[in-house]
Amino acid sequence: MFFSSIYAKQQSVALPAAIEKVLDYLKAHDFTKMEPGRYEIQGDDIFAQVFDAATKPAEEQRPEAHEKYADVQFLASGRERLGFTPDTGSYEVDERFDDRDLIFYKKVENECFIEARPGCYSVFFPEDIHRPACASGQPMTVRKVVVKISVKLL
């Protein structure tokens, strides 16, 4: 997992080409003016989902993970907290949706939180359990972009 902003002056490390492609895409679009929906970047290997989400207290959001895709979670507007912790393989699954590559967990331990503002992005790999759309202060509606990157590209 890593966290940064599209407004950072430069990157000091080389990233996989698929992540570089996603960051270029995020920098090139004003998502506050786009319609919610799915936007293909590279077919089913890389695609963006633009949507509005209501943030809630962390205890009302479920921790989740994915096996086939890495998530690049980008905040276009609003404020959001995101929880994260390593997947130790010992957490109890609450629900699993294989067709959506989505696993929800009942609870996790040793969770840390980051605060996102517009322009911030987080990259969550399959070994990262994350809890998105947590309220930072008062709950609000945020505009998010989640870009899915097939792990075969990483």
Side-chain angles (χ1 to χ4, degrees):
M1 176 267 167
F2 64 90
F3 177 77
S4 191
S5 171
I6 62 168
Y7 302 121
K9 69 177 184 172
Q10 67 183 27
Q11 290 178 184
S12 59
V13 297
L15 298 171
I19 293 176
E20 292 281 2
K21 185 174 195 166
V22 168
L23 296 179
D24 289 344
Y25 180 83
L26 294 175
K27 291 173 185 175
H29 292 83
D30 181 354
F31 297 100
T32 63
K33 296 181 179 171
M34 292 173 68
E35 289 294 319
R38 178 182 160 135
Y39 294 84
E40 289 191 7
I41 300 169
Q42 189 175 316
D44 285 337
D45 287 338
I46 306 175
F47 59 93
Q49 299 165 317
V50 178
F51 59 95
D52 297 316
T55 64
K56 299 176 184 173
E59 58 274 6
E60 295 179 23
Q61 301 289 46
R62 295 191 292 177
E64 64 183 61
H66 316 284
E67 295 176 328
K68 298 176 185 170
Y69 288 91
D71 266 7
V72 179
Q73 299 221 358
F74 176 75
L75 191 63
S77 69
R79 293 188 322 267
E80 172 189 31
R81 293 177 71 222
L82 298 107
F84 64 96
T85 192
D87 186 350
T88 62
S90 62
Y91 298 124
E92 186 178 354
V93 171
D94 188 28
E95 285 187 281
R96 181 181 188 101
F97 301 94
D98 289 328
D99 59 325
R100 294 172 46 205
D101 187 38
L102 179 60
I103 303 164
F104 287 114
Y105 294 92
K106 289 190 177 190
K107 67 178 189 170
V108 295
E109 296 175 348
N110 302 314
E111 189 173 16
C112 297
F113 285 85
I114 49 179
E115 298 276 335
R117 301 295 183 262
C120 290
Y121 66 89
S122 306
V123 180
F124 297 106
F125 298 98
E127 62 270 17
D128 301 315
I129 295 175
H130 51 286
R131 186 188 308 253
C134 297
S136 175
Q138 292 296 321
M140 67 178 64
T141 299
V142 298
R143 170 60 58 103
K144 290 200 61 168
V145 181
V146 176
V147 182
K148 299 288 195 173
I149 303 173
S150 173
V151 294
K152 68 184 179 185
L153 299 179
L154 302 173

